[in-house]
Amino acid sequence: MALDFHGNIAAGTSTGGTLNKAPGRVGDSSLIGCGCYADNLSAAVSLTGWGEPIMKLVLGKWAVDRVSAGASPDEAAHEAIDYLYNRLGGHGGIILLGPDGRVGMAHNTPRMAWGLQTPAGRQLGVTRN
């Protein structure tokens, strides 16, 4: 995701695919509103994880709507991962970026790699559960 100096936000998501996926399964690209979404008035989001539950919940849009309703990106990220698991038993990770530069990250997978570049510098990490 990116935030420019005009306050415009954008989201782009690439997926590594699913190991041992079922024969005939088509995928490995993020669907807008599900794994990737951006709205200048609320937030940009990128998700990774089990695609089917994320798609069923249109989870990217769901999380962005929480920011629009007043939640911080961090609150919305944690709410989204809780919703994913509680509703469908899904696993994944999420990064949300607000138009004010606030970032939220959450996951319920064993670990999630992430990177953040700001004017203050670069931060990289692997968060473990």
Side-chain angles (χ1 to χ4, degrees), residues 67-104:
V67 175
S68 183
S72 72
D74 191 58
E75 291 168 335
H78 286 89
E79 289 173 9
I81 294 301
D82 288 346
Y83 180 54
L84 174 65
Y85 184 77
N86 293 334
R87 178 79 191 274
L88 296 175
H91 290 85
I94 185 172
I95 301 174
L96 276 160
L97 171 66
D100 58 1
R102 293 183 300 165
V103 175

Side-chain angles (χ1 to χ4, degrees), residues 1 8 22-23 38 49 60 82 93 96 105 112-113 123:
M1 288 155 322
N8 296 306
D82 288 346
L96 276 160
M105 291 184 270
M112 185 173 96
Q123 296 174 291

